[in-house]
Structures are given as structure tokens and as C-alpha cells.
Amino acid sequence: DWLKRFKAALAFCPRLFGNSQPVLLYTWLADAMPELMEMGHKEHVHADAMPCYQTSWLCVFEAVSPYMWSYMGIAFALGISVIGAAWGIFLTGSSIVGGGIKAPRISSKNLVSIIFCEAVAIYGVIMAIIMSNKIEGSLIFEVSGKLEPWQAQTMVSGWCLFAVGLSVGFSNLFCGVCVGVSGSGCALADAQRPEMFVKMLIVEIFGSALGLFGVIVGIIQANGATFPKHLG
């Protein structure tokens, strides 16, 4: 028994410290150890009896329905992509309108920058459709005690689609800003020197590819989300 060994070790303390205060402290610990252990056991049992969300913040996230996570992922994928597209169109469009006053010829050529920005929103729409087709509903999703295999699979699928929404949404957001800023510079440069248009267009093409990378990775991620079908 480890408690007897602990007391035996404390009995050896006077040889090391003499009759000093540490010996009294060690003796008190030896006598109080059973009570401390009992109190710790009661707290542990009490913690087990409490609801999960009262003991850990992580349990709060686990308590959210996986279908809620899935639809939040769809909202992020579409909403943040549209924000990126709108931001890019705002930056590019204002420069085209402003530069077109002095050089009206740039208005038609530089509309390609607007198309690149609009493609960012289209990426979000495509991913939202793919993610929506992944979701399969169940009659009731209630977790009590041990998880069933289909429940664990549903939870993982919900988190997976939420991660897809974040990766696609933010990649399209920064892609839209990138294309918008480069398109704005392209319009202003084209107004001054027409030979700069093709060179700046290449920059826009590479900037637009950033959102495409996010869509490709999002499709690969979404393949890991498999919701159980026809649950009774």
C-alpha cells in the first residue's frame, strides 16, 4: 500500500532535517492524505455526473448539431466568396470608371478584370452546391451516452463540411481582393501606357488561380464527408 510506504518515508525525515518544521508538515500531509483523496474522488464523481458542457468548452462545440456545422460551412463558403468578389469589383470598377474619363478606350478591355472578380463568387456558388448535395438528413439526431457509429460518422461529416467552407471562403476572399487590386492597377496603367495591359493581365490570371486552388482542395476535402442514408 503506497500510503504506508509514504508514512514510512516520512518517518525517515527526522534523520535528514532533525526536529524541525518540515517534519511537522510531512506528518500533517500523511495524516490528511486519506481525506484529500476522498475529497478528490467525490469531486471526480461529481464532475462525471455534471453535464459535459458545464465542465469543458470543447463539449459545447460537440453539442452543436453536425447539420448546423454543415450549413454554417455552406454559408461561409458562399458568403465569404461573395464578399471577396464584391470587394474586388468595387476596387476594379472604381478605377475603370475613373480612368475611363480621360481614356474611354480602357472601359471595354478592362471588363475582363470584373469577370475575374465575378468568377470568385461563382467558385463559392459551385462549392455551396457540392456541399449541399453531400448532406443526408436523419429523422432524429440525439446523442445519449455512447455514440453510435452512424452518429460519429455524421459528426465528422459536419465538421468536415465546416472546414471546407472556411478553406474555400477565405481563399476566395483573398483571391477577390488580389484580383481587385491588380485589376485596379491594370486599368490605371492601361490609361497611361496601353502596352502595359497584357502584362498586368497575366498578373490577374495568376491572382485568379488562387481561388481555384481553394476550390480544388475544397472538393477533395468534401469527399471525406459522407452522411449516413435512410436512417430509421
Side-chain angles (χ1 to χ4, degrees), residues 39-72:
M39 291 174 58
H41 178 69
K42 289 181 179 180
E43 292 181 358
H44 178 70
V45 172
H46 180 65
D48 291 341
M50 294 176 62
C52 180
Y53 61 85
Q54 294 184 4
T55 58
S56 173
W57 281 101
L58 186 61
C59 293
V60 175
F61 296 105
E62 293 179 356
V64 177
S65 171
Y67 297 99
M68 180 66 180
W69 288 116
S70 302
Y71 286 109
M72 285 177 62

mmCIF file of all heavy atoms in Angstrom, residues 39-72:
data_model
loop_
_atom_site.group_PDB
_atom_site.id
_atom_site.type_symbol
_atom_site.label_atom_id
_atom_site.label_comp_id
_atom_site.label_asym_id
_atom_site.label_seq_id
_atom_site.Cartn_x
_atom_site.Cartn_y
_atom_site.Cartn_z
ATOM 1 N N MET A 39 -11.847 13.523 -0.870
ATOM 2 C CA MET A 39 -12.428 14.736 -1.445
ATOM 3 C C MET A 39 -12.224 14.766 -2.961
ATOM 4 O O MET A 39 -13.124 15.126 -3.716
ATOM 5 C CB MET A 39 -11.789 15.969 -0.802
ATOM 6 C CG MET A 39 -12.168 16.173 0.656
ATOM 7 S SD MET A 39 -11.261 17.539 1.400
ATOM 8 C CE MET A 39 -11.742 18.874 0.335
ATOM 9 N N GLY A 40 -11.022 14.389 -3.422
ATOM 10 C CA GLY A 40 -10.761 14.358 -4.856
ATOM 11 C C GLY A 40 -11.644 13.354 -5.564
ATOM 12 O O GLY A 40 -12.126 13.609 -6.671
ATOM 13 N N HIS A 41 -11.880 12.196 -4.914
ATOM 14 C CA HIS A 41 -12.753 11.205 -5.530
ATOM 15 C C HIS A 41 -14.180 11.724 -5.648
ATOM 16 O O HIS A 41 -14.857 11.525 -6.666
ATOM 17 C CB HIS A 41 -12.715 9.922 -4.704
ATOM 18 C CG HIS A 41 -13.627 8.845 -5.227
ATOM 19 N ND1 HIS A 41 -13.391 8.190 -6.412
ATOM 20 C CD2 HIS A 41 -14.803 8.333 -4.735
ATOM 21 C CE1 HIS A 41 -14.353 7.311 -6.620
ATOM 22 N NE2 HIS A 41 -15.222 7.387 -5.623
ATOM 23 N N LYS A 42 -14.652 12.418 -4.622
ATOM 24 C CA LYS A 42 -16.008 12.966 -4.667
ATOM 25 C C LYS A 42 -16.130 14.016 -5.776
ATOM 26 O O LYS A 42 -17.138 14.061 -6.494
ATOM 27 C CB LYS A 42 -16.376 13.588 -3.318
ATOM 28 C CG LYS A 42 -16.591 12.558 -2.224
ATOM 29 C CD LYS A 42 -16.975 13.232 -0.918
ATOM 30 C CE LYS A 42 -17.220 12.206 0.188
ATOM 31 N NZ LYS A 42 -17.585 12.858 1.461
ATOM 32 N N GLU A 43 -15.106 14.876 -5.907
ATOM 33 C CA GLU A 43 -15.147 15.887 -6.957
ATOM 34 C C GLU A 43 -15.126 15.243 -8.341
ATOM 35 O O GLU A 43 -15.791 15.701 -9.270
ATOM 36 C CB GLU A 43 -13.969 16.853 -6.812
ATOM 37 C CG GLU A 43 -14.069 17.730 -5.577
ATOM 38 C CD GLU A 43 -12.895 18.677 -5.483
ATOM 39 O OE1 GLU A 43 -12.017 18.598 -6.369
ATOM 40 O OE2 GLU A 43 -12.853 19.474 -4.532
ATOM 41 N N HIS A 44 -14.353 14.143 -8.454
ATOM 42 C CA HIS A 44 -14.288 13.458 -9.746
ATOM 43 C C HIS A 44 -15.643 12.843 -10.100
ATOM 44 O O HIS A 44 -16.104 12.942 -11.239
ATOM 45 C CB HIS A 44 -13.209 12.372 -9.691
ATOM 46 C CG HIS A 44 -13.097 11.582 -10.962
ATOM 47 N ND1 HIS A 44 -12.589 12.135 -12.121
ATOM 48 C CD2 HIS A 44 -13.440 10.298 -11.255
ATOM 49 C CE1 HIS A 44 -12.615 11.230 -13.074
ATOM 50 N NE2 HIS A 44 -13.127 10.106 -12.573
ATOM 51 N N VAL A 45 -16.291 12.217 -9.103
ATOM 52 C CA VAL A 45 -17.607 11.635 -9.343
ATOM 53 C C VAL A 45 -18.619 12.720 -9.662
ATOM 54 O O VAL A 45 -19.467 12.572 -10.552
ATOM 55 C CB VAL A 45 -18.047 10.798 -8.110
ATOM 56 C CG1 VAL A 45 -19.491 10.346 -8.260
ATOM 57 C CG2 VAL A 45 -17.122 9.599 -7.934
ATOM 58 N N HIS A 46 -18.499 13.854 -8.937
ATOM 59 C CA HIS A 46 -19.426 14.955 -9.190
ATOM 60 C C HIS A 46 -19.239 15.522 -10.589
ATOM 61 O O HIS A 46 -20.210 15.860 -11.273
ATOM 62 C CB HIS A 46 -19.220 16.047 -8.141
ATOM 63 C CG HIS A 46 -20.124 17.232 -8.317
ATOM 64 N ND1 HIS A 46 -21.492 17.146 -8.175
ATOM 65 C CD2 HIS A 46 -19.851 18.521 -8.629
ATOM 66 C CE1 HIS A 46 -22.036 18.333 -8.400
ATOM 67 N NE2 HIS A 46 -21.052 19.185 -8.670
ATOM 68 N N ALA A 47 -17.971 15.603 -11.027
ATOM 69 C CA ALA A 47 -17.707 16.104 -12.384
ATOM 70 C C ALA A 47 -18.255 15.157 -13.445
ATOM 71 O O ALA A 47 -18.736 15.587 -14.494
ATOM 72 C CB ALA A 47 -16.208 16.314 -12.582
ATOM 73 N N ASP A 48 -18.168 13.841 -13.164
ATOM 74 C CA ASP A 48 -18.726 12.885 -14.112
ATOM 75 C C ASP A 48 -20.238 12.983 -14.197
ATOM 76 O O ASP A 48 -20.828 12.735 -15.254
ATOM 77 C CB ASP A 48 -18.321 11.459 -13.719
ATOM 78 C CG ASP A 48 -16.825 11.229 -13.932
ATOM 79 O OD1 ASP A 48 -16.219 12.007 -14.697
ATOM 80 O OD2 ASP A 48 -16.276 10.276 -13.322
ATOM 81 N N ALA A 49 -20.867 13.347 -13.076
ATOM 82 C CA ALA A 49 -22.319 13.432 -13.074
ATOM 83 C C ALA A 49 -22.826 14.724 -13.714
ATOM 84 O O ALA A 49 -23.977 14.793 -14.120
ATOM 85 C CB ALA A 49 -22.844 13.337 -11.639
ATOM 86 N N MET A 50 -21.957 15.742 -13.797
ATOM 87 C CA MET A 50 -22.370 17.018 -14.386
ATOM 88 C C MET A 50 -22.481 16.897 -15.897
ATOM 89 O O MET A 50 -21.806 16.071 -16.511
ATOM 90 C CB MET A 50 -21.357 18.112 -14.020
ATOM 91 C CG MET A 50 -21.306 18.455 -12.550
ATOM 92 S SD MET A 50 -20.005 19.650 -12.201
ATOM 93 C CE MET A 50 -20.557 21.042 -13.158
ATOM 94 N N PRO A 51 -23.313 17.726 -16.508
ATOM 95 C CA PRO A 51 -23.366 17.735 -17.982
ATOM 96 C C PRO A 51 -22.028 18.133 -18.581
ATOM 97 O O PRO A 51 -21.259 18.883 -17.982
ATOM 98 C CB PRO A 51 -24.453 18.786 -18.278
ATOM 99 C CG PRO A 51 -25.255 18.881 -17.021
ATOM 100 C CD PRO A 51 -24.314 18.600 -15.900
ATOM 101 N N CYS A 52 -21.781 17.632 -19.767
ATOM 102 C CA CYS A 52 -20.476 17.844 -20.406
ATOM 103 C C CYS A 52 -20.191 19.319 -20.640
ATOM 104 O O CYS A 52 -19.068 19.782 -20.458
ATOM 105 C CB CYS A 52 -20.435 17.061 -21.715
ATOM 106 S SG CYS A 52 -18.908 17.223 -22.629
ATOM 107 N N TYR A 53 -21.227 20.091 -21.035
ATOM 108 C CA TYR A 53 -20.991 21.485 -21.380
ATOM 109 C C TYR A 53 -20.654 22.349 -20.184
ATOM 110 O O TYR A 53 -20.200 23.485 -20.340
ATOM 111 C CB TYR A 53 -22.210 22.066 -22.100
ATOM 112 C CG TYR A 53 -23.491 22.065 -21.283
ATOM 113 C CD1 TYR A 53 -23.778 23.092 -20.405
ATOM 114 C CD2 TYR A 53 -24.412 21.025 -21.406
ATOM 115 C CE1 TYR A 53 -24.935 23.096 -19.658
ATOM 116 C CE2 TYR A 53 -25.579 21.013 -20.670
ATOM 117 C CZ TYR A 53 -25.843 22.054 -19.792
ATOM 118 O OH TYR A 53 -26.983 22.043 -19.056
ATOM 119 N N GLN A 54 -20.850 21.829 -18.929
ATOM 120 C CA GLN A 54 -20.502 22.578 -17.735
ATOM 121 C C GLN A 54 -19.074 22.340 -17.280
ATOM 122 O O GLN A 54 -18.586 23.030 -16.387
ATOM 123 C CB GLN A 54 -21.470 22.232 -16.600
ATOM 124 C CG GLN A 54 -22.901 22.678 -16.851
ATOM 125 C CD GLN A 54 -23.812 22.416 -15.669
ATOM 126 O OE1 GLN A 54 -23.356 21.953 -14.618
ATOM 127 N NE2 GLN A 54 -25.085 22.704 -15.827
ATOM 128 N N THR A 55 -18.397 21.392 -17.866
ATOM 129 C CA THR A 55 -17.035 21.067 -17.455
ATOM 130 C C THR A 55 -15.997 21.400 -18.519
ATOM 131 O O THR A 55 -14.816 21.512 -18.207
ATOM 132 C CB THR A 55 -16.923 19.574 -17.119
ATOM 133 O OG1 THR A 55 -17.308 18.799 -18.269
ATOM 134 C CG2 THR A 55 -17.839 19.219 -15.953
ATOM 135 N N SER A 56 -16.390 21.574 -19.782
ATOM 136 C CA SER A 56 -15.423 21.810 -20.842
ATOM 137 C C SER A 56 -16.069 22.607 -21.968
ATOM 138 O O SER A 56 -17.201 22.323 -22.369
ATOM 139 C CB SER A 56 -14.882 20.481 -21.387
ATOM 140 O OG SER A 56 -14.077 20.682 -22.517
ATOM 141 N N TRP A 57 -15.329 23.597 -22.474
ATOM 142 C CA TRP A 57 -15.814 24.365 -23.623
ATOM 143 C C TRP A 57 -15.843 23.506 -24.875
ATOM 144 O O TRP A 57 -16.642 23.743 -25.778
ATOM 145 C CB TRP A 57 -14.915 25.582 -23.851
ATOM 146 C CG TRP A 57 -15.198 26.712 -22.923
ATOM 147 C CD1 TRP A 57 -14.493 27.063 -21.805
ATOM 148 C CD2 TRP A 57 -16.286 27.634 -22.987
ATOM 149 N NE1 TRP A 57 -15.064 28.134 -21.178
ATOM 150 C CE2 TRP A 57 -16.172 28.522 -21.893
ATOM 151 C CE3 TRP A 57 -17.342 27.795 -23.877
ATOM 152 C CZ2 TRP A 57 -17.073 29.552 -21.664
ATOM 153 C CZ3 TRP A 57 -18.239 28.827 -23.646
ATOM 154 C CH2 TRP A 57 -18.096 29.690 -22.548
ATOM 155 N N LEU A 58 -14.956 22.520 -24.949
ATOM 156 C CA LEU A 58 -14.934 21.656 -26.121
ATOM 157 C C LEU A 58 -16.245 20.895 -26.270
ATOM 158 O O LEU A 58 -16.703 20.637 -27.381
ATOM 159 C CB LEU A 58 -13.758 20.680 -26.021
ATOM 160 C CG LEU A 58 -13.507 19.791 -27.234
ATOM 161 C CD1 LEU A 58 -13.204 20.641 -28.460
ATOM 162 C CD2 LEU A 58 -12.365 18.832 -26.961
ATOM 163 N N CYS A 59 -16.863 20.559 -25.137
ATOM 164 C CA CYS A 59 -18.130 19.835 -25.191
ATOM 165 C C CYS A 59 -19.246 20.706 -25.758
ATOM 166 O O CYS A 59 -20.215 20.182 -26.300
ATOM 167 C CB CYS A 59 -18.512 19.337 -23.795
ATOM 168 S SG CYS A 59 -17.411 18.063 -23.162
ATOM 169 N N VAL A 60 -19.117 22.023 -25.611
ATOM 170 C CA VAL A 60 -20.126 22.908 -26.184
ATOM 171 C C VAL A 60 -20.127 22.782 -27.705
ATOM 172 O O VAL A 60 -21.173 22.708 -28.353
ATOM 173 C CB VAL A 60 -19.851 24.368 -25.759
ATOM 174 C CG1 VAL A 60 -20.823 25.323 -26.448
ATOM 175 C CG2 VAL A 60 -19.960 24.503 -24.253
ATOM 176 N N PHE A 61 -18.923 22.725 -28.290
ATOM 177 C CA PHE A 61 -18.837 22.567 -29.743
ATOM 178 C C PHE A 61 -19.312 21.182 -30.168
ATOM 179 O O PHE A 61 -19.899 21.023 -31.238
ATOM 180 C CB PHE A 61 -17.405 22.796 -30.214
ATOM 181 C CG PHE A 61 -16.912 24.194 -29.983
ATOM 182 C CD1 PHE A 61 -16.023 24.471 -28.968
ATOM 183 C CD2 PHE A 61 -17.365 25.226 -30.778
ATOM 184 C CE1 PHE A 61 -15.573 25.759 -28.756
ATOM 185 C CE2 PHE A 61 -16.923 26.525 -30.571
ATOM 186 C CZ PHE A 61 -16.026 26.794 -29.553
ATOM 187 N N GLU A 62 -19.056 20.172 -29.355
ATOM 188 C CA GLU A 62 -19.523 18.829 -29.684
ATOM 189 C C GLU A 62 -21.037 18.722 -29.588
ATOM 190 O O GLU A 62 -21.650 17.886 -30.249
ATOM 191 C CB GLU A 62 -18.873 17.802 -28.751
ATOM 192 C CG GLU A 62 -17.369 17.661 -28.960
ATOM 193 C CD GLU A 62 -16.763 16.647 -27.996
ATOM 194 O OE1 GLU A 62 -17.508 16.132 -27.150
ATOM 195 O OE2 GLU A 62 -15.558 16.377 -28.115
ATOM 196 N N ALA A 63 -21.649 19.573 -28.749
ATOM 197 C CA ALA A 63 -23.101 19.504 -28.569
ATOM 198 C C ALA A 63 -23.865 20.131 -29.728
ATOM 199 O O ALA A 63 -25.057 19.901 -29.867
ATOM 200 C CB ALA A 63 -23.493 20.195 -27.259
ATOM 201 N N VAL A 64 -23.182 20.939 -30.548
ATOM 202 C CA VAL A 64 -23.853 21.553 -31.698
ATOM 203 C C VAL A 64 -24.149 20.472 -32.735
ATOM 204 O O VAL A 64 -23.321 19.595 -33.006
ATOM 205 C CB VAL A 64 -22.973 22.660 -32.312
ATOM 206 C CG1 VAL A 64 -23.643 23.253 -33.550
ATOM 207 C CG2 VAL A 64 -22.704 23.746 -31.288
ATOM 208 N N SER A 65 -25.324 20.517 -33.313
ATOM 209 C CA SER A 65 -25.724 19.519 -34.304
ATOM 210 C C SER A 65 -24.766 19.520 -35.492
ATOM 211 O O SER A 65 -24.364 20.590 -35.980
ATOM 212 C CB SER A 65 -27.144 19.807 -34.789
ATOM 213 O OG SER A 65 -27.478 18.975 -35.892
ATOM 214 N N PRO A 66 -24.368 18.353 -35.982
ATOM 215 C CA PRO A 66 -23.484 18.304 -37.162
ATOM 216 C C PRO A 66 -24.110 18.928 -38.406
ATOM 217 O O PRO A 66 -23.403 19.422 -39.280
ATOM 218 C CB PRO A 66 -23.222 16.815 -37.353
ATOM 219 C CG PRO A 66 -24.316 16.116 -36.615
ATOM 220 C CD PRO A 66 -24.663 17.011 -35.481
ATOM 221 N N TYR A 67 -25.434 18.917 -38.470
ATOM 222 C CA TYR A 67 -26.104 19.561 -39.602
ATOM 223 C C TYR A 67 -25.975 21.073 -39.509
ATOM 224 O O TYR A 67 -25.904 21.768 -40.529
ATOM 225 C CB TYR A 67 -27.570 19.128 -39.652
ATOM 226 C CG TYR A 67 -27.714 17.647 -39.874
ATOM 227 C CD1 TYR A 67 -27.963 16.775 -38.822
ATOM 228 C CD2 TYR A 67 -27.568 17.114 -41.145
ATOM 229 C CE1 TYR A 67 -28.066 15.411 -39.026
ATOM 230 C CE2 TYR A 67 -27.675 15.752 -41.362
ATOM 231 C CZ TYR A 67 -27.932 14.902 -40.294
ATOM 232 O OH TYR A 67 -28.026 13.559 -40.510
ATOM 233 N N MET A 68 -25.908 21.579 -38.265
ATOM 234 C CA MET A 68 -25.664 23.005 -38.086
ATOM 235 C C MET A 68 -24.267 23.373 -38.572
ATOM 236 O O MET A 68 -24.078 24.377 -39.274
ATOM 237 C CB MET A 68 -25.818 23.373 -36.611
ATOM 238 C CG MET A 68 -25.584 24.833 -36.307
ATOM 239 S SD MET A 68 -26.846 25.886 -37.051
ATOM 240 C CE MET A 68 -26.291 27.497 -36.519
ATOM 241 N N TRP A 69 -23.262 22.532 -38.235
ATOM 242 C CA TRP A 69 -21.905 22.779 -38.722
ATOM 243 C C TRP A 69 -21.862 22.741 -40.249
ATOM 244 O O TRP A 69 -21.179 23.552 -40.886
ATOM 245 C CB TRP A 69 -20.941 21.738 -38.156
ATOM 246 C CG TRP A 69 -20.608 21.869 -36.703
ATOM 247 C CD1 TRP A 69 -20.897 20.981 -35.708
ATOM 248 C CD2 TRP A 69 -19.910 22.948 -36.066
ATOM 249 N NE1 TRP A 69 -20.433 21.436 -34.500
ATOM 250 C CE2 TRP A 69 -19.827 22.641 -34.694
ATOM 251 C CE3 TRP A 69 -19.363 24.142 -36.526
ATOM 252 C CZ2 TRP A 69 -19.204 23.479 -33.779
ATOM 253 C CZ3 TRP A 69 -18.746 24.987 -35.617
ATOM 254 C CH2 TRP A 69 -18.670 24.659 -34.265
ATOM 255 N N SER A 70 -22.589 21.813 -40.832
ATOM 256 C CA SER A 70 -22.577 21.674 -42.294
ATOM 257 C C SER A 70 -23.136 22.915 -42.970
ATOM 258 O O SER A 70 -22.536 23.459 -43.912
ATOM 259 C CB SER A 70 -23.385 20.442 -42.710
ATOM 260 O OG SER A 70 -22.875 19.273 -42.114
ATOM 261 N N TYR A 71 -24.286 23.373 -42.499
ATOM 262 C CA TYR A 71 -24.897 24.539 -43.131
ATOM 263 C C TYR A 71 -24.139 25.821 -42.826
ATOM 264 O O TYR A 71 -24.157 26.767 -43.626
ATOM 265 C CB TYR A 71 -26.360 24.659 -42.714
ATOM 266 C CG TYR A 71 -27.237 23.624 -43.377
ATOM 267 C CD1 TYR A 71 -27.774 22.561 -42.657
ATOM 268 C CD2 TYR A 71 -27.516 23.690 -44.734
ATOM 269 C CE1 TYR A 71 -28.562 21.603 -43.271
ATOM 270 C CE2 TYR A 71 -28.299 22.744 -45.361
ATOM 271 C CZ TYR A 71 -28.823 21.695 -44.624
ATOM 272 O OH TYR A 71 -29.595 20.741 -45.238
ATOM 273 N N MET A 72 -23.459 25.879 -41.689
ATOM 274 C CA MET A 72 -22.572 27.016 -41.438
ATOM 275 C C MET A 72 -21.404 27.012 -42.422
ATOM 276 O O MET A 72 -20.975 28.077 -42.901
ATOM 277 C CB MET A 72 -22.055 26.970 -39.998
ATOM 278 C CG MET A 72 -23.057 27.378 -38.943
ATOM 279 S SD MET A 72 -22.417 27.206 -37.268
ATOM 280 C CE MET A 72 -21.052 28.358 -37.309
#
